[in-house]
Every structure is written in structure tokens, then in C-alpha cells.
Amino acid sequence: MASSTVRPKTQDRSQEHDVARRLLDSAAKLAYDPATEVDWETPLDKDFHGASPEWSTLYGTAYWNEMTEEQRKELTRQEAASVASTGIWFEMILQQMVLRDIYTKNPTDPEFQWALTEIAEECRHSIMFARGAAKLEAPHYRPHRIALELGRAFKTLAFGEVAYAAILVAEEVLDVMQRDWMRDERVVPFVRTINNIHVVEESRHMKFARDETRKRLAGAGFLRRQVNAFVIAVASYVIVTSMVNRKVYSRAGLDEKRAVREARANEHHKAMMRSSCSGLMEFLASARLLTKPALVFYKRANLI
């Protein structure tokens, strides 16, 4: 009788294999090559936006009402390029954390093979974002120096649930806004294609990040949850506040200081961010990662 009973650890391991195998099957059936899927040859049509106007950091402000339609379109193109540049920055951090996590693991395991598949997809995404930003005629938007150095430390030190939950935050925030952009006929077609590719493939990455976060937290004690919840929240704050570089405003021909001031006070954009993160916050709450110190940073980033 005992020999026919599946032991908990064996059962858990089988479930992990099943998740990884399903993700590998999905990647085999539904994957894209941005080099051929995206129209890189057609010149940029400046009659289109780069992102849904409602997602602009200035939408709904007095400044937005004063802007010409050409300025609004240029601003959304520059904001989309800035988001793409931030995406590249964090995808490079993600790739290093995942590689470090699987460094000593069994390469015959589906989890190991899925991790390499995810890294391969992230590499393609980074190249796709880079080419997209160039086509949008944007400069290299880099996060603030402090954010860059914090990212350098994070990619080196973060492990376990901290790494995977931070990955999830970055992917979830991008996912909701890009789902809007890819359906919006006001957005330039090649950007819509980029967003569609990213949404489809990132859905697998988010599934993996959620499962890994739950798995790594199993049996975690109070102190570990408190510390990790705080680190994840700080990382989330840095990622989200780095998405739109302040230089996008001057690039669009606007007064940078006034634009930054109005963007920071823009209640419409704050509400958009909060609505985009409702599912993410529910997950973090279910994982008991919404501690009081963590909530301070999520509120400052307008994620809750």
C-alpha cells in the first residue's frame, strides 16, 4: 500500500516538470521571430501614435490640452521608446538572474530547458525593442545612474522569490499597457506587432515567475517574508519609476520642467497604473508579500 502512495516531494517535483513541459510545448507551437514578423522596412509614419494616448504620462493634464496633435503623437512615440529601453535594461537583469539560478542544475530537467528557452526569448525581445526604439527615432533613454547601480547590485545578489517576484512585477506592468497598445489602431502598426509578440511570449514568462515565486516561498518564515517583501517592493519602485525618462518631453518639443511637474501630479496616469496592477497586487497579497513597509513603496509607485 505504501509503495503505491506518491510522496509529497515526488509529487511536487512532477508538478514542476509538468509546468515546464507545458511552457516548452507552448514555446514550440507559438513563438515569433521579430526579424521577420515585424515590418522593419516601411518608413515611420508620423501620423500614428507610438502608444495609446490614454497611457501617456501627460494625458488629461492642462499641458496635454495645449499640445498640438503632432506633439502628442511625438510624445507617445518617445514614451514608447523609453518604455522599450527600460524593458531592455530589465530583461538584461532578468537573463543574468535566471542563468545564475540554473547554473548548477540538471540540464536534462524540463525546468532547466525552459529557463534557457525563456532567456532566448528575452534576447529576441531586447533586440526587437532596440530596433523598435531606433525606428521611432528616439535616442538611447537610460535609467538614472542610481537606478543603474541598484540594478547592477540586484542582478548580482537577488535570488529565489526575490528575483522571480521582481521579474513578475516588471512583466505584469508592461503586459497590461501593451495589451491596450496592440489593439489600438491609432498606434503605428509595427509597434502593435512588437507589442503582440511581447504579450504572447511574456504570458509564458509570467506563468513561470508566479510558479517559481510560490515554490520558493513554500515554508518561508516570518522574517524571510518581511525582508524579501521589502526588497521586492523597492525593486518594483525603481523599475516602474524608470519607465519614462524625463528627456522624452524635451525630445517632443516640450518644456521639460513643466512636463515633469504635471506628469507627477497626473491623477489619470496614476489611476491607469493602479488598474493595470490589480491582478499583480492580488497575487502578492496571496503570497503574503504585501507587508506594511512594502506597501509604502507600492503606493509611491502608484501601483496600489
Side-chain angles (χ1 to χ4, degrees), residues 34-279:
T36 57
E37 295 284 347
V38 181
D39 178 8
W40 301 114
E41 302 304 320
T42 302
L44 174 65
D45 188 340
K46 294 190 175 181
D47 286 335
F48 287 92
H49 285 274
S52 297
E54 292 79 8
W55 275 101
S56 173
T57 54
L58 288 181
Y59 184 87
T61 64
Y63 209 170
W64 180 269
N65 293 333
E66 295 173 20
M67 292 162 60
T68 65
E69 192 60 24
E70 289 71 23
Q71 284 179 314
R72 292 172 181 172
K73 290 174 180 176
E74 181 62 29
L75 176 60
T76 61
R77 290 195 294 269
Q78 294 302 314
E79 288 177 321
S82 179
V83 170
S85 295
T86 302
I88 295 168
W89 167 61
F90 193 75
E91 283 177 346
M92 292 177 70
I93 293 173
L94 180 161
Q95 291 168 47
Q96 294 177 74
M97 290 192 300
V98 174
L99 271 175
R100 187 158 45 81
D101 187 51
I102 66 170
Y103 178 62
T104 59
K105 293 186 177 178
N106 182 357
T108 66
D109 279 352
E111 291 88 348
F112 183 96
Q113 294 167 27
W114 162 250
L116 289 183
T117 302
E118 178 171 342
I119 291 168
E121 290 182 343
E122 295 293 10
C123 285
R124 292 197 297 271
H125 294 170
S126 293
I127 296 169
M128 176 176 70
F129 285 161
R131 294 185 69 178
K135 188 166 180 175
L136 287 168
E137 300 179 0
H140 178 201
Y141 291 119
R142 296 178 60 178
H144 191 277
R145 185 69 186 181
I146 295 174
L148 287 174
E149 295 307 319
L150 287 172
R152 195 188 304 277
F154 189 75
K155 71 177 179 58
T156 304
L157 301 173
F159 64 93
E161 63 268 21
V162 172
Y164 285 101
I167 288 169
L168 182 63
V169 170
E171 291 172 341
E172 289 260 11
V173 172
L174 274 176
D175 181 71
V176 175
M177 63 176 68
Q178 289 185 327
R179 285 178 185 273
D180 285 350
W181 301 358
M182 74 184 194
R183 301 186 186 104
D184 194 337
E185 294 185 357
R186 296 169 297 176
V187 175
V188 65
F190 84 92
V191 170
R192 294 177 63 192
T193 303
I194 287 173
N195 291 328
N196 183 67
I197 291 171
H198 197 246
V199 164
V200 170
E201 297 188 341
E202 286 296 327
S203 65
R204 296 191 284 264
H205 303 181
M206 290 188 290
K207 169 65 174 174
F208 186 63
R210 283 174 181 257
D211 285 347
E212 286 297 306
T213 300
R214 290 192 189 99
K215 181 177 72 176
R216 305 304 175 93
L217 278 170
F222 174 80
L223 181 59
R224 176 175 161 185
R225 284 183 187 272
Q226 290 289 313
V227 172
N228 288 346
F230 180 76
V231 173
I232 294 163
V234 172
S236 303
Y237 173 82
V238 173
I239 294 164
V240 172
T241 57
S242 297
M243 281 190 171
V244 178
N245 190 296
R246 61 184 294 149
K247 296 301 179 185
V248 301
Y249 304 118
S250 55
R251 185 76 178 184
L254 305 177
D255 181 319
E256 185 178 311
K257 289 185 178 178
R258 180 188 172 188
V260 169
R261 186 170 61 251
E262 295 204 22
R264 286 175 177 169
N266 188 355
E267 292 301 326
H268 169 81
H269 191 258
K270 292 176 183 178
M272 293 287 282
M273 292 298 292
R274 285 193 294 269
S275 65
S276 74
C277 293
S278 59

